[in-house]
């Protein structure tokens, strides 16, 4: 697919990035400490359209879905009966509106582009977000060279397939090795009207030696649905990974967690931004050689994708609460990650 190749000459957005996905702190360079005195949860989250370029997120050039398109391409609007599509190059995009000449879509870098067509996304109960993507935002890199960006995508594709086998329609925020802004990922799930979104990551730096997996699941303050999703993900993933006899690593407060800014709002962009109930799961530590070796196996992908699907299905069809609760929130110390990031648009057609 040419979708993985940046198109030369297209608009390059320079985006001040602090923490692309929030977690995976090796790439973020952001220390996180546990807070001894829990901060009360915020009853509501701020509007997701509010850009916060100073803290833990990318800039937000994303138009809202209802924004009037550029008059230069307004050649007769045709309201499509679907909210997203997969372009000819395999890139999932939100459809802003239809025109006589095609569809105005939101690109992975948050621009508007008119495309001639694609495969409609008729329904997506679940949005799967493979963390990171592209040549700059690799995420964590393991001791054997395994790159988080890639293992996240491999696992996400396996999860999509597993959910399809169970009759649960799902869509991915990215399908290849290209960058997608956090704002675009969040808006994609919201526009599709998904019931939930799961952002998939693998952690670094290395944790402390542990007899049990150090899975961490970050959830949204003020959302019971997000908290229950996080609890189910923690319960199913840790149970599945514990079947592997491994020298695990973990943080002392591994479990279901909230990470807060000093003002009490959720710190991570993929948690703060979506209206869709969302959880971000760090399944294990890519920085740990033993775990990195496991993550590179097909068996891991099979076991982990089944566990994630079990959690998602349980959220959809049961009232189970999940496990892993009780930790105080972590406090996020804003700090700039080194350098700035570039968002090179993939080819859409
Ligand atoms: Zn990550």
């Amino acid at each position: 697919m040419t979708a993985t190749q940046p198109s030369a000459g297209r608009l390059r957005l320079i985006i001040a990035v602090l923490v692309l996905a929030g977690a995976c702190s090796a790439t973020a360079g952001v220390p996180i400490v546990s807070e001894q005195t829990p901060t009360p949860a915020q009853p509501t989250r701020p509007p997701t359209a509010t850009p916060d370029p100073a803290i833990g997120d990318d800039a937000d050039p994303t138009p809202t879905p209802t924004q009037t398109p550029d008059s230069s391409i307004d050649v007769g609007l045709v309201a499509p009966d679907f909210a997203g599509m997969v372009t000819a190059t395999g890139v999932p995009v939100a459809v802003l509106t239809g025109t006589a000449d095609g569809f105005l879509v939101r690109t992975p870098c948050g621009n508007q582009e008119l495309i001639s067509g694609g495969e409609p996304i008729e329904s997506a109960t679940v949005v799967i977000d493979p963390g990171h993507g592209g040549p700059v935002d690799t995420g964590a890199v393991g001791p054997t060279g395994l790159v988080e960006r890639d293992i996240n995508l491999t696992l996400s594709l396996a999860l999509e397939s597993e959910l399809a086998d169970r009759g649960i329609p799902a869509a991915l925020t990215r399908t290849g090795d290209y960058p997608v802004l956090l704002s675009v990922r969040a808006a994609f799930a919201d526009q599709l009207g998904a019931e939930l979104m799961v952002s998939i990551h693998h952690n670094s730096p290395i944790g402390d030696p542990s007899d049990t997996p150090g899975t961490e699941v970050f959830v949204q303050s003020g959302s019971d649905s997000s908290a229950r999703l996080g609890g189910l993900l923690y319960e199913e993933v840790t149970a599945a990974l514990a079947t592997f006899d491994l020298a695990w690593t973990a943080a002392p407060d591994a479990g279901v967690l909230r990470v807060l800014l000093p003002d009490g709002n959720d710190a991570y962009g993929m948690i703060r931004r979506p209206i869709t109930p969302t959880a971000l799961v760090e399944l294990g530590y890519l920085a740990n050689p033993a775990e990195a070796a496991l993550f590179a196996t097909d068996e891991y992908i099979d076991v982990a994708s089944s566990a994630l699907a079990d959690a998602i299905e349980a959220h959809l069809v049961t009232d189970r609460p999940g496990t892993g609760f009780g930790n105080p929130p972590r406090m996020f110390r804003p700090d700039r990650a080194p350098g700035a990031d570039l968002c090179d648009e993939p080819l859409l057609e």
Side-chain angles (χ1 to χ4, degrees):
M1 282 288 181
T2 53
T4 60
Q5 298 169 358
S7 60
R10 294 193 177 210
L11 178 64
R12 276 192 151 194
L13 284 176
I14 299 178
I15 301 151
V17 166
L18 296 154
V19 184
L20 289 174
C24 310
S25 50
T27 56
V30 177
I32 293 172
V33 294
S34 294
E35 182 194 37
Q36 297 305 314
T37 304
T39 301
Q42 293 298 105
T44 57
R45 282 171 285 134
T48 56
T50 303
D52 190 0
I55 300 174
D57 216 340
D58 51 37
D60 190 354
T62 309
T64 62
T66 55
Q67 183 170 334
T68 302
D70 189 317
S71 59
S72 65
I73 51 178
D74 182 3
V75 288
L77 300 181
V78 181
D81 59 359
F82 47 89
M85 60 168 43
V86 178
T87 74
T89 54
V91 176
V93 291
V95 176
L96 303 177
T97 192
T99 81
D101 288 343
F103 300 94
L104 189 66
V105 303
R106 181 188 298 122
T107 69
C109 292
N111 299 300
Q112 293 184 13
E113 186 167 324
L114 188 66
I115 65 173
S116 60
E119 186 72 25
I121 300 174
E122 302 287 0
S123 120
T125 304
V126 178
V127 167
I128 306 164
D129 176 47
H132 310 283
V136 177
D137 182 17
T138 62
V141 179
T144 61
L146 185 63
V147 179
E148 187 199 348
R149 162 196 73 194
D150 300 332
I151 194 73
N152 291 346
L153 180 58
T154 300
L155 180 54
S156 295
L157 291 167
L159 174 57
E160 180 189 34
S161 176
E162 179 69 27
L163 291 174
D165 289 346
R166 302 181 188 207
I168 301 171
L172 275 71
T173 57
R174 72 174 173 97
T175 55
D177 184 16
Y178 54 86
V180 183
L181 296 184
L182 301 185
S183 54
V184 172
R185 298 172 194 244
F188 184 65
D190 290 347
Q191 181 153 346
L192 291 183
E195 292 190 34
L196 57 91
M197 175 159 60
V198 177
S199 186
I200 293 177
H201 290 256
H202 292 79
N203 219 341
S204 70
I206 200 165
D208 297 327
S210 172
D211 293 334
T212 56
T215 305
E216 297 178 355
V217 189
F218 301 100
V219 298
Q220 295 166 305
S221 296
S223 169
D224 292 341
S225 184
S226 169
R228 194 167 76 85
L229 176 60
L232 291 164
L233 287 165
Y234 183 78
E235 180 179 4
E236 295 291 347
V237 169
T238 53
L241 295 186
T243 61
F244 295 102
D245 183 16
L246 213 67
W248 298 103
T249 55
D253 61 348
V256 178
L257 292 159
R258 292 186 297 129
V259 182
L260 303 178
L261 297 169
D263 66 6
N265 287 315
D266 291 321
Y268 295 158
M270 282 309 294
I271 293 299
R272 185 179 68 253
R273 284 178 173 278
I275 300 298
T276 305
T278 298
L280 186 157
V281 56
E282 300 270 7
L283 285 95
Y285 280 83
L286 186 56
N288 173 16
E291 292 176 63
L294 173 66
F295 297 157
T297 66
D298 291 341
E299 186 179 9
Y300 168 72
I301 297 299
D302 288 344
V303 168
S305 60
S306 292
L308 293 167
D310 287 346
I312 290 168
E313 188 169 12
H315 190 276
L316 295 173
V317 304
T318 79
D319 292 326
R320 285 169 47 200
T323 63
F325 301 105
N327 285 305
R330 291 178 182 176
M331 292 305 293
F332 185 83
R333 289 177 178 167
D335 194 7
R336 294 192 71 85
D341 197 19
L342 299 172
C343 192
D344 287 314
E345 298 278 17
L347 288 173
L348 299 184
E349 299 188 286

